């Protein structure tokens, strides 16, 4: 059995439960797919943030636009937090200086 901690994947089950990966290889096919999905989620988060800032900066933006921006921002924040938790769990604390 491996001593490698489980990796939190950047997606959930259809029921919304977390998915984990157990592997000794950071370059496994599923690890690389997860890396790509995380990168896409972070890129999307940057785009959503820019859009939300534009909506919030527009004094004529209506309730519908603000609610849409907030909904997308909430979804992106959830993705980014999952990436942060996953990456935080994989940080190796080394003994070297």
């Amino acid at each position: 059995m491996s001593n490698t901690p489980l990796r939190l994947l950047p997606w959930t089950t259809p029921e919304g439960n977390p998915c984990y990966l157990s592997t000794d290889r950071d370059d496994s096919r599923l690890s690389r797919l997860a890396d790509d999905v995380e990168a896409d989620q972070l890129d999307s988060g940057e785009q959503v943030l820019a859009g939300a800032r534009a909506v919030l900066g527009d004094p004529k933006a209506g309730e519908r636009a603000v609610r849409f921006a907030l909904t997308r921002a909430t979804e992106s924040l959830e993705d980014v937090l999952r990436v942060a938790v996953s990456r935080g769990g994989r940080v190796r604390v080394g003994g070297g200086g």
Side-chain angles (χ1 to χ4, degrees):
M1 181 161 223
S2 171
N3 289 337
T4 305
L6 297 177
R7 175 183 177 169
L8 177 64
L9 294 172
W11 54 79
T12 61
T13 67
E15 296 79 26
N17 296 318
C19 294
Y20 295 92
L21 173 63
S22 175
T23 183
D24 291 334
R25 294 182 39 219
D26 290 338
D27 66 342
S28 71
R29 186 180 206 172
L30 194 52
S31 291
R32 289 191 319 266
L33 174 62
D35 291 341
D36 291 344
V37 170
E38 285 180 353
D40 289 345
Q41 288 172 328
L42 295 175
D43 289 343
S44 177
E46 288 178 354
Q47 294 172 18
V48 168
L49 178 59
R53 283 184 172 147
V55 168
L56 293 174
D58 181 0
K60 294 181 181 182
E63 177 186 349
R64 211 167 160 189
V66 172
R67 289 181 64 80
F68 180 82
L70 181 57
T71 300
R72 298 293 82 78
T74 302
E75 293 167 352
S76 290
L77 180 58
E78 185 177 53
D79 289 343
V80 169
L81 289 174
R82 179 179 302 280
V83 170
V85 168
S86 178
R87 290 183 179 183
R90 291 181 279 141
V91 171
R92 290 178 175 82
V93 180

